[in-house]
Amino acid sequence: EPEVTQTPSHQVTQMGQEVILRCVPISNHLYFYWYRQILGQKVEFLVSFYNNEISEKSEIFDDQFSVERPDGSNFTLKIRSTKLEDSAMYFCASSSLGGGHEQYFGPGTRLTVT
Amino acid sequence: RKEVEQDPGPFNVPEGATVAFNCTYSNSASQSFFWYRQDCRKEPKLLMSVYSSGNEDGRFTAQLNRASQYISLLIRDSKLSDSATYLCVVNPATGRRALTFGSGTRLQVQP
């Protein structure tokens, strides 16, 4: 069964550093997403991406964040200058063009900012 | 009012029991509805979509009441492996794909 993969599984970084989280969506999916989950809180939407551009973003997704599809398989989330409050689990998800908009999630990257 | 509201639980039930979870959502224009399960520190996994006519998948039955803005999940014959947090998830508007998650209801099935 095809699945979304993410690397690394855990990233530790110092405040102010840049991090890039990587995702490989399901191969025939055309919509890609990033969500985050702060420990003990609910999953929150960050951004969706379709046809090589951002289609939606939340208030959380400010200028510190960017997304990119650098090649035909990877989808990345860059956090430019990390803050302590960016510590969270970051999930990538993907969905197909049609259907009921079901989104399939990767295993996540745990980001710890010290 | 929260966009998606769930009873946090925990629900502690014996194996074989039937358990029901409820969820309410605030946006009457919401289009798509889902139940996901999440194990501790893992990703949300799609359990089932929820359709207006109600739908069943094995031991799981989901219902949607648009008039009351209410979604339910029924689990019959609970297994130990059903222990997880169940997330009520809503796609709030036509043309948008961002999902809004509830905080989840924790289920613990005991032997």
Side-chain angles (χ1 to χ4, degrees):
Chain A
E1 186 178 313
E3 54 186 27
V4 177
T5 59
Q6 289 185 243
T7 54
S9 56
H10 190 191
Q11 173 93 46
V12 181
T13 190
Q14 289 192 322
M15 203 165 49
Q17 296 297 304
E18 175 183 286
V19 294
I20 298 177
L21 311 183
R22 291 184 166 79
C23 168
V24 178
I26 293 172
S27 63
N28 62 345
H29 283 181
L30 297 178
Y31 275 91
F32 316 122
Y33 313 85
W34 285 101
Y35 291 81
R36 79 169 186 194
Q37 187 174 30
I38 295 170
L39 188 64
Q41 298 186 24
K42 63 181 182 178
V43 177
E44 299 175 290
F45 169 76
L46 292 178
V47 66
S48 64
F49 191 87
Y50 171 70
N51 201 24
N52 280 321
E53 59 183 29
I54 290 173
S55 49
E56 274 178 86
K57 60 182 182 178
S58 71
E59 289 175 358
I60 304 168
F61 193 87
D62 61 22
D63 292 343
Q64 146 191 52
F65 293 93
S66 62
V67 290
E68 193 179 29
R69 184 139 163 94
D71 54 44
S73 58
N74 289 285
F75 179 52
T76 62
L77 174 70
K78 183 192 290 188
I79 309 175
R80 253 180 283 283
S81 176
T82 50
K83 307 186 198 104
L84 293 176
E85 54 265 36
D86 294 328
S87 295
M89 194 75 155
Y90 288 81
F91 294 110
C92 175
S94 68
S95 66
S96 61
L97 185 62
H101 301 182
E102 288 88 356
Q103 295 181 20
Y104 298 89
F105 285 73
T109 293
R110 178 168 301 283
L111 177 65
T112 302
V113 183
T114 62
Chain B
R1 185 179 170 185
K2 289 182 186 174
E3 287 187 82
V4 179
E5 201 147 0
Q6 297 183 250
D7 180 344
F11 283 57
N12 295 303
V13 303
E15 264 186 294
T18 295
V19 61
F21 304 135
N22 303 319
C23 164
T24 55
Y25 60 94
S26 60
N27 186 345
S28 60
S30 297
Q31 293 297 309
S32 306
F33 309 89
F34 310 95
W35 283 101
Y36 281 74
R37 72 169 275 168
Q38 186 174 32
D39 294 288
C40 191
R41 296 184 176 241
K42 301 282 190 182
E43 75 273 24
K45 288 194 170 164
L46 179 65
L47 187 64
M48 57 200 302
S49 303
V50 186
Y51 304 118
S52 297
S53 53
N55 48 301
E56 190 174 305
D57 183 1
R59 298 182 293 110
F60 300 85
T61 301
Q63 298 276 353
L64 168 64
N65 184 322
R66 283 189 185 270
S68 303
Q69 294 176 213
Y70 171 96
I71 306 160
S72 66
L73 176 69
L74 184 78
I75 305 176
R76 288 180 299 278
D77 189 23
S78 300
K79 313 284 184 203
L80 294 175
S81 56
D82 293 334
S83 297
T85 296
Y86 289 82
L87 307 175
C88 178
V89 182
V90 173
N91 171 238
T94 306
R96 294 182 52 200
R97 291 199 169 222
L99 296 179
T100 300
F101 283 75
S103 298
T105 298
R106 200 164 137 243
L107 172 66
Q108 185 66 46
V109 181
Q110 293 162 339

